[in-house]
Amino acid sequence: MTDFTIASFNVKNLIGPDQEYYEFQSYTPEEYAWKRDWMADQLMALDADIIGFQEIFEEDALRDVIGEANKRVAALNAATIPDKSKGYHRKAIFRKLAIRPWDMDHLAFAPNAADEGPGQRRPGVAILSRFGFAEPPQVIQDLPDPLTIPFTALRGLEGEAGHYTLRRLSRPILRARISIGDQVVTVFNCHLKSKLGEYIRPAGAEFAPEEDLTNYDPVGRALGSARAAMRRMAEAWVLRGFIVEELRKGHPVAVLGDFNDGEDAVSSEIISGEVPFKNYSWMLRHDAKSDRDRYSKEESARITRDVEAVRLHSAEKLFVRKSLRDMVYTSAFAGVFESIDQIYLSRHFHPDNARRIADMTYFSVLNDHITDGSHPEAPYNKLASDHGQIMAYLTLRDDDEQDG
């Protein structure tokens, strides 16, 4: 059996010292050293085989963090793992205590195509894999053909109902195929558009009117939130297309990252796919000519199979179902604690699938550092992340087990 772990880690604005990433925001050398120290400790605490990172401005800074973590791993292993001269060095406890370092050659970084100069930087994503990559990872951000989403006219109205066009994702999606045991798993790492409003700056103006909070415009700011939501859902649809492409090739899929929405949000449901109805045979057919034209039981069963074949499942929800645990959160703001970082798994990992390739045995979240910043004694900390780190623990099944 092969045990492995998959984690998602939004690091919050990783960049080297004395570099302005957003306007007037940078790290002093001391702040950067503190952030690198904290991240190295988090990597060791995770000890994950596959890690998807978000909010990476510089690949060199991430390599610096991983290098620091590897130094600490070597020191920890030297202090806690007995050498071969000790007769007890093979005991299982020492295998559990040991941490494997990460190979720098097995890091894939996807820079943001919209990244510009100081103060106008845009973050990318990365995947670190102890298993390496079965083939070079692929970056998805600029769309070869613009995505145009038309809207249908409401009943009683004629003509054009408008459309939304997307040419570039706000952050790249990184697709990597990774060999684990005798399986190749496709891993997607994403960071969807945030809930921060998108406001349009008039030509010649220094800023968008909605950004001036001294002249608060609630309707204009609501429109900015609507733009952000439309972009996030469109990006989710683009990701969904690539997920289905992999599933139809028979590839197991794991999708992880910062969804900037809870798992019950529309954008998350677009990524995971529809939940099938219990029974389609009571529904009127799409081509019904009378109230008796309903799907047959055979068609109902086939529809259910087709829906389930391309559906993803929340690792968090699978764990809650298994453990009866009722509280997981990766983000906090203004007293609201929620999970906006997700790991989704295809049916190849679902416990109800007799032909599954792996079992998820545990799910963990590192969130002790999270504060919503609303308490004067718990201020916002830019040096740690404002996200919790999540990890799914999985065990590959052998061929006999997969045969059910």
Side-chain angles (χ1 to χ4, degrees):
M1 293 190 300
T2 299
D3 294 329
F4 65 101
T5 48
I6 300 178
S8 182
F9 189 169
N10 183 318
V11 305
K12 185 167 180 61
N13 301 332
L14 179 62
I15 194 171
D18 296 326
Q19 298 188 65
E20 188 181 30
Y21 49 100
Y22 295 138
E23 192 173 24
F24 310 125
Q25 296 187 47
S26 61
Y27 298 114
T28 65
E30 294 78 12
E31 288 175 328
Y32 172 74
W34 197 101
K35 188 173 185 71
R36 180 182 62 181
D37 175 82
W38 180 83
M39 283 187 60
D41 278 348
Q42 291 298 99
L43 285 180
M44 291 179 63
L46 281 170
D47 187 20
D49 297 310
I50 300 168
I51 308 174
F53 297 95
Q54 302 89 42
E55 296 198 22
I56 306 296
F57 286 93
E58 275 190 328
E59 182 178 1
D60 287 347
L62 180 56
R63 288 182 176 276
D64 188 28
V65 169
I66 297 167
E68 178 63 26
N70 281 342
K71 290 178 185 176
R72 299 182 187 195
V73 166
L76 179 65
N77 288 346
T80 58
I81 309 302
D83 60 44
K84 293 183 180 180
S85 68
K86 305 295 193 298
Y88 51 83
H89 80 278
R90 291 190 177 183
K91 288 186 178 293
I93 185 173
F94 297 117
R95 292 199 300 273
K96 296 291 186 182
L97 289 174
I99 299 178
R100 290 171 53 202
W102 294 272
D103 189 333
M104 292 289 195
D105 290 337
H106 297 162
L107 175 67
F109 173 62
N112 196 316
D115 194 17
E116 295 182 348
Q120 302 294 323
R121 303 295 305 271
R122 292 294 180 268
V125 298
I127 294 177
L128 179 63
S129 169
R130 281 182 173 144
F131 304 106
F133 301 105
E135 59 188 62
Q138 296 174 296
V139 179
I140 303 161
Q141 186 173 18
D142 285 335
L143 306 181
D145 298 307
L147 168 63
T148 299
I149 303 172
F151 293 89
T152 58
L154 297 176
R155 291 180 182 177
L157 296 178
E158 301 293 337
E160 173 68 33
H163 62 270
Y164 177 75
T165 300
L166 186 71
R167 294 179 174 84
R168 168 182 286 176
L169 309 184
S170 56
R171 290 106 173 182
I173 295 170
L174 193 54
R175 174 172 59 185
R177 295 190 177 98
I178 299 174
S179 296
I180 307 171
D182 59 355
Q183 299 287 340
V184 176
V185 178
T186 301
V187 177
F188 290 94
N189 181 22
C190 68
H191 185 185
L192 301 186
K193 173 68 182 77
S194 72
K195 295 180 182 179
L196 292 175
E198 289 193 10
Y199 311 116
I200 298 174
R201 182 174 65 183
E206 293 185 17
F207 49 81
E210 297 87 351
E211 294 175 331
D212 180 4
L213 296 181
T214 63
N215 292 289
Y216 183 64
D217 179 0
V219 177
R221 291 182 69 84
L223 178 57
S225 296
R227 290 191 189 102
M230 283 186 276
R231 185 179 298 277
R232 186 166 58 256
M233 286 188 282
E235 292 176 345
W237 184 84
V238 170
L239 175 55
R240 179 64 178 165
F242 287 104
I243 291 168
V244 171
E245 177 185 320
E246 294 295 313
L247 293 174
R248 286 183 171 163
K249 292 177 181 176
H251 299 164
V253 168
V255 181
L256 54 89
D258 179 359
F259 287 20
N260 267 311
D261 252 333
E263 64 184 60
D264 294 323
V266 173
S267 55
S268 298
E269 291 176 351
I270 290 171
I271 292 171
S272 63
E274 296 181 59
V275 177
F277 287 108
K278 294 292 184 182
N279 180 14
Y280 288 91
S281 59
W282 63 268
M283 291 180 62
L284 283 173
R285 293 179 56 86
H286 58 284
D287 56 355
K289 299 298 188 293
S290 75
D291 63 358
R292 295 186 301 278
D293 290 340
R294 302 178 186 272
Y295 292 108
S296 68
K297 290 183 179 180
E298 292 76 16
E299 288 172 326
S300 174
R302 188 175 75 246
I303 294 168
T304 300
R305 285 195 303 271
D306 290 345
V307 173
E308 288 285 9
V310 292
R311 187 180 166 206
L312 301 183
H313 304 271
S314 163
E316 177 187 319
K317 272 292 177 65
L318 292 177
F319 177 59
V320 169
R321 160 180 152 170
K322 181 186 177 86
S323 68
L324 302 182
R325 183 173 177 170
D326 63 358
M327 183 58 179
V328 173
Y329 64 88
T330 68
S331 175
F333 183 74
V336 178
F337 291 74
E338 59 181 339
S339 292
I340 62 174
D341 302 84
Q342 307 285 348
I343 298 174
Y344 278 8
L345 303 170
S346 62
R347 62 191 175 91
H348 304 83
F349 305 92
H350 197 281
D352 293 344
N353 180 6
R355 299 180 64 83
R356 64 191 179 278
I357 66 168
D359 291 305
M360 193 186 81
T361 57
Y362 197 68
F363 181 91
S364 64
V365 55
L366 305 183
N367 58 10
D368 286 348
H369 59 282
I370 295 293
T371 169
D372 67 357
S374 62
H375 193 282
E377 295 180 4
Y380 169 73
N381 187 347
K382 77 172 185 176
L383 301 182
S385 176
D386 55 349
H387 288 249
Q389 291 75 61
I390 53 175
M391 182 162 67
Y393 300 69
L394 300 112
T395 300
L396 282 181
R397 308 173 88 216
D398 60 33
D399 291 338
D400 292 338
E401 290 176 311
Q402 291 177 41
D403 289 339

